[in-house]
Every structure is written in C-alpha cells, then in structure tokens.
Amino acid sequence: MSTPDLGGVVVATALPYRVDATAPAGLAVDYDAYAAHCRWLIDNGCRGVGPNGSLGEYSSLTDDERRRVARTAIETVGEDGIVVVGVHGPGSHQARHWAELAAEDGAHGLLCLPPTMYRANHGEVLAHFEAVASVGLPVMVYNNPIDTKVDLTPALLAEIAAIDNVVAVKEFSGDVRRVLEIREQAPGLDVISGADDVVLESLLMGATGWFAGFPNVFPAESVRLFDLARAGKLEEARALYEPLVAAFRWDSRTEFVQAIKLGMDLVGRYGGPCRPPRGPLTDEHREQVTADMRRALASLGVG
C-alpha cells in the first residue's frame, strides 16, 4: 500500500556481497544478509529502507539482481515500514520500467535521479519525471548535481512539484539555504535531507526526512538525532551530532560507499567489498575513516 509521505529516517541501504567466482566481478549479492540488514534497520527505529540507490551500487547490478534486491527489501520490511526503491536510469524509458516493476512488487515509493548519463535540459528533466510519476507511486526526485551535472534548483522544483505523484525531493546539493528556498517556491513538496553532514542544519530549517547513509552503521542513534532535531531540542541534538560530523562527511565524498561499508565492519555488522568500478579504500583513506568512525562511536558508546 502506497503512502504520499516519504519522510522520516529512510536508509539508503548498502548491499552485501559474498565471494563467488561465477558472479559478476567475482562477487554475488548475499540476499539473506541483505534481508537481515533491512530487518535490523527497521527494528532499530528507522522508518524505511531505500534499495537500489548509489549506496546500494545499483549501477553495478544485473537487471535480475536489481529487481531481486528491491523485492528482498519489500518482503523483509512488510507492513513494518516503507520501501522507497531507486529507479534511476539513463533515460525515462528505463526509469519508468524500473518504476513499473517496483509498483508491481509492492514498493511504497520511488527515488529517481534525472537522466544519469546525459546532461538533460529543462524540458527533458520534466519529461523524465513525468514518465516515472505516471506509474502512480509517490515519487521523491533526487537532486545530486555533483554526479548528474543537472541541478534541480528551487525554481525548477516548483515546476516538477506540479507533476502528479511527485511528493518530495532528496536534496543533496549541500547548500542548506535550499531548504527554505524550496519550501517557498514549492510549498507542497517535502524536503528530505540527502547529505548526512548537513542533516541537522536541514532538519532545523524544515526538512521532514533524512534519506540517510550512515544510519547503516548506527541506526538507533541516527533516529534519536532525527527526533531531537524535529522536536527543536537543539542543545541535545548538537551534542549528539557534532562528534559524528567527521564521519558523516564521507557520505558526500567519492568513496562514500566504501567508507560506510567500513563503518559497518567496525561496529560488527557486515559491510564488505564493493563491485567495480568501486575499489578498496587507500591505506590513507582507510586510516582516516577508521579514526573518524572511532570518534563517532566513542561519543555514542557503540562498538
């Protein structure tokens, strides 16, 4: 059953692999481990999960794997939360195809980038989201100008928000001024914080959700941060947030998938390797992620 509200803490789930020489790049998706991870996130208070995002390495999956990942999340979460499936694609026909499959499989909502391998113009962006939204599920459009080279500005979002079934934007520009600008120009559109290292600032300015990376590592504590921010308990929220920000900054870096998976390993979960094109962290990066994570975990009493 779909819902127009895609807010709260929805975790962009990392995807576990197991070594298998017959699988792409020698790594097979571990669906059982993925299901267990989704259940752990929901049991620790997260509102939902987001399979097949960038953090879920969707672009490295076969078509069969990509659909099975989404189905695994949907079946695991059941009635206990929401599943917002990433339907990113190079063109609107691919994105709509993934949206149709997500609807068929029981997703609650969709997360969609502009065309992923083409710097689309204004009209093409609108047509892309119109095609995806026509499937009928609530759509969260995703502004990631760093990777797509397309900026969903507040003015453009005002037009996108007029499309039926578009209900939210995952805002990943890193510019917290955007939260109020979007609320002014597209007042019916929910603003969802997409970058972990500006989540408190975004929530205090009126964001209603967090489509999150590092809650893969410490979900219960992240939900507490979200609840404190939404309740306006600034002093408590800052005390919780400030020791985490160094780790959270990795969510906005090229190596964010590897960093978050390493964080999962450090707390006794399973992060594991990534498929190409993502390779292992350099020694320097591994040392820095570990140091940043240890500071965060020490402040939380986790690990």
Side-chain angles (χ1 to χ4, degrees):
M1 182 171 61
S2 65
T3 170
D5 173 17
L6 302 181
V9 179
V10 177
V11 185
T13 43
L15 189 64
Y17 299 103
R18 54 182 173 78
V19 175
D20 181 343
T22 67
L27 295 170
V29 177
D30 190 331
Y31 298 100
D32 290 342
Y34 180 63
H37 183 55
C38 289
R39 173 47 53 186
W40 181 68
L41 295 172
I42 296 296
D43 289 347
N44 275 273
C46 297
R47 181 163 183 239
V49 298
N52 292 335
S54 301
L55 183 52
E57 301 176 68
Y58 79 92
S59 59
S60 298
L61 301 178
T62 67
D63 286 357
D64 288 344
E65 288 172 332
R66 183 169 173 177
R67 186 174 192 186
R68 187 173 172 188
V69 166
R71 282 178 162 173
T72 299
I74 292 163
E75 291 166 4
T76 300
V77 170
E79 298 298 317
D80 297 328
I82 63 172
V83 179
V84 183
V85 176
V87 296
H88 321 302
S92 57
H93 57 297
Q94 292 105 323
R96 177 172 174 164
H97 167 73
W98 290 114
E100 290 169 342
L101 295 183
E104 183 179 319
D105 292 336
H108 301 87
L110 310 172
L111 177 69
C112 189
L113 285 164
T116 55
M117 299 195 308
Y118 169 70
R119 189 173 181 175
N121 65 30
H122 182 102
E124 291 163 344
V125 168
L126 291 174
H128 185 82
F129 290 128
E130 285 170 353
V132 171
S134 70
V135 172
L137 286 179
V139 176
M140 181 187 302
V141 301
Y142 183 1
N143 184 37
N144 186 341
I146 300 164
D147 289 338
T148 65
K149 305 299 186 287
V150 175
D151 189 2
L152 305 182
T153 63
L156 179 53
L157 285 169
E159 295 186 60
I160 295 169
I163 300 170
D164 286 345
N165 299 316
V166 172
V167 301
V169 57
K170 177 181 176 181
E171 170 48 38
F172 193 76
S173 71
D175 183 353
V176 295
R177 294 173 297 185
R178 289 282 182 96
V179 177
L180 285 180
E181 289 183 59
I182 295 166
R183 293 181 66 202
E184 290 164 5
Q185 297 199 42
L189 196 67
D190 287 339
V191 182
I192 309 298
S193 178
D196 291 356
D197 57 341
V198 290
V199 63
L200 178 56
E201 296 88 334
S202 298
L203 291 169
L204 291 174
M205 297 315 297
T208 57
W210 179 12
F211 210 98
F214 270 93
N216 280 284
V217 181
F218 23 74
E221 298 80 5
S222 298
V223 171
R224 174 166 168 73
L225 173 62
F226 177 85
D227 289 344
L228 288 171
R230 289 287 288 159
K233 297 181 179 179
L234 179 56
E235 187 173 345
E236 292 175 73
R238 281 187 62 180
L240 180 56
Y241 180 59
E242 288 181 13
L244 308 182
V245 170
F248 280 5
R249 289 190 189 110
W250 286 95
D251 182 54
S252 298
R253 294 174 179 161
T254 302
E255 302 82 9
F256 72 106
V257 181
Q258 298 95 318
I260 288 169
K261 283 189 166 185
L262 175 55
M264 293 167 66
D265 291 334
L266 291 172
V267 296
R269 306 299 300 176
Y270 176 72
C274 298
R275 268 189 185 164
R278 293 179 176 86
L281 291 167
T282 65
D283 289 343
E284 181 182 359
H285 280 162
R286 175 172 286 273
E287 290 173 7
Q288 189 60 58
V289 172
T290 300
D292 293 339
M293 280 297 308
R294 284 180 175 158
R295 180 186 176 203
L297 296 174
S299 74
L300 298 172
V302 176

